[in-house]
């Protein structure tokens, strides 16, 4: 196994400095990657924004204190259009380029934020959220795909797993903006201004698009090989097209795309046609539903009702806890992403889910005890366990789902798979956001038991079907599901060994080419 690992990208000479901040091309590469982080800002911002608005008398008075089904509709309106638009985003990205998809999403999001901020009735407010929700997938799935495709291989694990952590930059901004605007007095600008501030991130993305390169994989797929090689050289090797790493990356991409071209007309049914693709689909569906059905969504969008169940009702207290959670989540999520390559994706998923399950059991017990005793001490004790629960969620379920999905998919299925992830995620989240306030009203703390059961289910799925992907390039990871249920890293790495005849498309020894998916299949 050690011998095969030596063929991996990490052991190939490269003319860049080992410390990225001391290297000219890597500094620019990181700058480009950071620009893509703003594509997830809107979702974190919205989660804290809705929590903050629910705590505001000004917003409640203006819209007649929405609750139950109405509050569920307001929340779900962000996710309903995003059931469809991921497939539109995938089409635009595949046919017109990653940058065009990002531009379309950013402009649509700005329009939605303006309608939100200047809404004169509840219907107009919901319409603005619908546009914001429709715009989101253009940024989310395109940005993570582009991030994987332009990041230097040495930096890819950390910059990719850090992508979704920036959800909490948006969350923190909205939480503390709402906390401050609570004290502006009796003016509608106390809620309009936080809504309007949502345009900041897409504006930044539009500016970044003037600097960010197009995906080399997209360019090679569309016969622009010279431009693709130039981008790899410029941002991965300080302009040297003779660099060994650039040559290795170029051959890997060409090899992968050449094999995939054998399948030619790929479609969504390809996810059902081979054992490897069926495993990929199972993992995608697990991540898509798990990001919402593992207990976090009750707290993310309905913190005020959750805290009211344990006797915390003051608007400033709720906003303060919301803001504190946002900052806590940000640091813990980055701690998870920084350690993803060290601890492994599979290890972080397991640690995250086990910790969430344990802390959720305690939260449920304390909430039930408060319902019986009305003890202020028991109610306050729930607060630190909310932080503990989110800490465990942050280290695995925040940084990994989008990054893990992007890296386990071959190029021809990458955007389609991310589209499925986001579409199913939004179906699950729309359902959840509609049901959560109704269920909390009806059965209060007992509703948490549903999530305890679901957490057990997701823990079993992770243990049985999630392979480890650390220390592999994105091309190597993309074939790991074709090497057995839990994956075989050595076999995946061997697929792209340098001594394979790329131009002739000769497959590795012991590997048979698939006419449908164009990926190699190894026995477990």
């Amino acid at each position: 196994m050690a011998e095969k690992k030596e063929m991996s990208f990490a052991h190939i000479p490269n003319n860049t400095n080992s410390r990225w901040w001391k290297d000219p091309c890597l500094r620019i590469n990181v700058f480009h990657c950071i620009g893509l982080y703003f594509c997830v800002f809107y979702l974190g911002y919205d989660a804290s924004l809705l929590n903050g608005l629910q705590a505001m008398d000004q917003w409640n008075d203006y819209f007649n204190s929405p609750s139950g089904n109405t509050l569920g509709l307001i929340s779900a309106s962000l996710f309903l259009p995003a059931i469809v638009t991921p497939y539109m985003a995938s089409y635009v990205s595949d046919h017109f380029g990653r940058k065009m998809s990002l531009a379309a999403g950013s402009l649509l999001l700005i329009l939605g934020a303006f309608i939100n901020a200047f809404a004169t009735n509840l219907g107009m407010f919901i319409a603005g959220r619908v546009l914001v929700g429709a715009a989101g997938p253009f940024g989310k799935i395109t940005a993570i795909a582009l991030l994987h495709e332009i990041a230097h291989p040495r930096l890819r694990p950390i910059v990719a797993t850090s992508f979704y952590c920036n959800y909490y930059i948006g969350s923190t901004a909205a939480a503390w903006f709402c906390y401050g605007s609570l004290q502006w007095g009796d003016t509608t600008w106390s809620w309009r201004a936080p809504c309007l501030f949502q345009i900041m991130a897409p504006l930044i993305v539009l500016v970044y698009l003037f600097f960010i390169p197009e995906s080399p994989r997209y360019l090679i797929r569309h016969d622009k090989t010279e431009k693709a090689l130039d981008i790899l050289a410029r941002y991965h090797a300080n302009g040297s097209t003779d660099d060994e790493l650039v040559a290795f990356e170029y051959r890997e991409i060409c090899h992968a795309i050449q094999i995939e071209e054998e399948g030619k007309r790929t479609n969504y049914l390809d996810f059902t046609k081979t054992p490897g693709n069926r495993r990929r689909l199972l993992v995608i569906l697990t991540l898509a539903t798990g990001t919402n059905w593992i207990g976090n969504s009750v707290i993310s969008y309905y913190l005020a009702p959750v805290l009211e169940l344990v006797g915390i009702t003051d608007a400033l207290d709720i906003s303060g806890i919301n803001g504190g959670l946002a900052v806590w989540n940000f640091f813990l999520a980055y701690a998870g992403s920084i350690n993803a390559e060290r601890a492994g994706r599979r290890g972080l998923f397991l640690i995250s889910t086990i910790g969430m399950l344990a802390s959720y059991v305690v939260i449920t017990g304390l909430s039930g005890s408060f319902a019986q005793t009305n003890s202020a001490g028991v109610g306050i004790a729930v607060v630190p366990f909310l932080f503990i629960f989110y800490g465990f969620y942050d280290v695995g379920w925040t940084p990994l789902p989008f990054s893990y999905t992007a890296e386990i998919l071959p190029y021809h299925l990458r955007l389609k798979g991310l589209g499925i992830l986001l579409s199913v995620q939004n179906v699950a989240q729309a359902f959840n956001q509609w049901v959560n306030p109704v269920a909390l009203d009806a059965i209060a703390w007992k509703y948490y038991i549903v999530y305890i059961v679901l957490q057990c289910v997701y823990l079993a799925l992770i243990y049985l079907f999630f392979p480890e992907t650390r220390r592999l390039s994105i091309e190597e990871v993309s074939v790991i599901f074709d090497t057995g249920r839990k994956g075989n890293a050595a076999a995946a790495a061997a697929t792209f060994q340098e001594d394979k005849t790329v131009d002739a498309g000769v497959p590795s020894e012991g590997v048979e080419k698939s006419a449908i998916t164009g990926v190699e299949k190894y026995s477990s």
Side-chain angles (χ1 to χ4, degrees):
M1 185 178 292
E3 202 174 304
K4 287 180 180 176
K5 279 189 178 179
E6 286 174 6
M7 302 305 298
S8 177
F9 72 89
H11 301 276
I12 296 172
N14 182 224
N15 68 11
T16 55
N17 195 296
S18 59
R19 293 182 173 87
W20 68 265
W21 58 90
K22 292 186 175 181
D23 189 273
C25 81
L26 295 188
R27 286 197 299 269
I28 297 171
N29 191 232
V30 170
F31 171 77
H32 292 157
C33 293
I34 289 172
L36 294 171
Y37 288 172
F38 286 95
C39 292
V40 78
F41 177 98
Y42 87 97
L43 192 60
Y45 191 91
D46 180 80
S48 276
L49 177 65
L50 200 57
N51 269 329
L53 295 180
Q54 289 175 71
M56 282 185 186
D57 290 337
Q58 299 93 326
W59 183 79
N60 280 301
D61 290 344
Y62 197 88
F63 292 115
N64 299 316
S65 299
S67 62
N69 275 320
T70 304
L71 186 57
L73 175 60
I74 292 171
S75 181
S77 62
L78 189 81
F79 307 106
L80 289 169
I83 295 168
V84 176
T85 52
Y87 304 107
M88 298 166 59
S90 176
Y91 179 86
V92 172
S93 187
D94 272 338
H95 289 80
F96 302 103
R98 312 302 200 222
K99 293 174 68 172
M100 181 65 74
S101 181
L102 291 174
S106 297
L107 292 170
L108 197 57
L109 207 160
I110 289 170
L111 177 61
F114 266 106
I115 293 173
N116 244 184
F118 295 102
T120 56
N121 54 58
L122 195 57
M124 189 174 172
F125 186 81
I126 290 173
R129 289 178 58 76
V130 167
L131 283 177
V132 170
F138 284 88
K140 282 173 70 179
I141 68 171
T142 306
I144 189 61
L146 182 58
L147 189 62
H148 274 288
E149 293 165 0
I150 66 171
H152 188 282
R154 195 170 73 241
L155 301 176
R156 185 186 65 81
I158 179 62
V159 298
T161 53
S162 296
F163 173 74
Y164 210 76
C165 301
N166 298 281
Y167 170 102
Y168 293 119
I169 294 181
S171 180
T172 302
W176 290 108
F177 201 145
C178 288
Y179 182 86
S181 66
L182 266 173
Q183 302 171 65
W184 288 5
D186 190 19
T187 170
T188 60
W189 278 104
S190 59
W191 63 265
R192 292 188 192 277
C195 291
L196 186 60
F197 189 71
Q198 201 163 17
I199 70 170
M200 184 198 72
L203 284 174
I204 292 173
V205 172
L206 287 174
V207 172
Y208 259 92
L209 289 180
F210 288 100
F211 306 99
I212 295 174
E214 185 54 88
S215 161
R217 288 161 179 81
Y218 168 83
L219 293 171
I220 291 172
R221 188 66 179 263
H222 289 79
D223 299 321
K224 298 177 181 178
T225 54
E226 288 186 14
K227 191 172 181 180
L229 185 60
D230 177 65
I231 287 171
L232 289 172
R234 187 184 309 174
Y235 300 115
H236 292 186
N238 289 296
S240 173
T241 54
D242 297 325
D243 184 88
E244 288 187 48
L245 177 63
V246 169
F248 177 79
E249 285 188 280
Y250 183 76
R251 285 197 300 270
E252 264 201 333
I253 296 168
C254 289
H255 187 197
I257 291 177
Q258 182 177 345
I259 294 173
E260 289 161 10
E261 281 294 323
E262 294 174 7
K264 285 293 182 184
R265 301 177 64 84
T266 60
N267 57 56
Y268 289 96
L269 289 177
D270 289 349
F271 280 99
T272 66
K273 291 181 178 177
T274 68
N277 280 354
R278 288 192 289 273
R279 285 191 283 266
R280 289 182 179 96
L281 183 60
L282 175 62
V283 168
I284 290 170
L285 296 178
T286 299
L287 293 174
T289 56
T291 48
N292 302 295
W293 289 357
I294 206 161
N296 61 303
S297 60
V298 174
I299 303 167
S300 293
Y301 280 81
Y302 301 105
L303 181 64
V306 166
L307 291 176
E308 286 166 6
L309 286 176
V310 292
I312 299 171
T313 57
D314 182 76
L316 283 175
D317 288 344
I318 293 171
S319 289
I321 292 169
N322 189 31
L325 267 175
V327 175
W328 167 260
N329 291 338
F330 173 75
F331 285 109
L332 268 291
Y334 261 97
S337 71
I338 289 168
N339 289 286
E341 193 70 359
R342 185 181 297 113
R345 279 58 149 180
R346 175 181 166 83
L348 281 182
F349 270 126
L350 289 170
I351 291 168
S352 179
T353 308
I354 291 169
M356 290 167 66
L357 175 60
S359 54
Y360 221 73
V361 168
V362 176
I363 290 170
T364 303
L366 289 172
S367 299
S369 176
F370 178 83
Q372 297 294 321
T373 64
N374 278 328
S375 166
V378 172
I380 292 170
V382 169
V383 176
F385 278 98
L386 291 177
F387 279 78
I388 292 169
F389 166 80
Y390 249 117
F392 279 110
Y393 180 87
D394 293 335
V395 298
W397 282 90
T398 292
L400 296 181
F402 275 88
S403 173
Y404 191 75
T405 299
E407 65 185 4
I408 64 173
L409 293 167
Y411 175 87
H412 68 300
L413 293 177
R414 186 164 297 141
L415 267 296
K416 290 180 174 64
L418 285 166
I420 291 171
L421 173 75
L422 197 51
S423 179
V424 175
Q425 185 183 62
N426 282 293
V427 170
Q429 195 150 3
F431 172 81
N432 232 22
Q433 303 308 353
W434 212 316
V435 168
N436 282 345
V438 177
L440 286 170
D441 278 350
I443 59 174
W445 65 271
K446 296 182 184 71
Y447 183 47
Y448 301 157
I449 296 170
V450 174
Y451 289 107
I452 291 174
V453 174
L454 286 171
Q455 285 163 5
C456 292
V457 172
Y458 286 113
L459 182 60
L461 288 169
I462 291 165
Y463 180 78
L464 292 172
F465 295 105
F466 280 46
E468 185 51 69
T469 63
R470 62 177 174 168
R471 300 197 181 106
L472 294 172
S473 74
I474 188 171
E475 304 301 339
E476 292 162 355
V477 174
S478 73
V479 298
I480 199 164
F481 273 88
D482 304 295
T483 65
R485 178 168 58 83
K486 287 190 177 180
N488 184 321
T495 304
F496 295 101
Q497 283 184 9
E498 290 182 274
D499 59 350
K500 304 304 172 193
T501 312
V502 174
D503 292 337
V506 177
S508 303
E509 184 179 347
V511 180
E512 55 185 66
K513 291 188 281 185
S514 166
I516 301 295
T517 62
V519 291
E520 290 84 356
K521 296 187 285 187
Y522 291 82
S523 58
S524 302

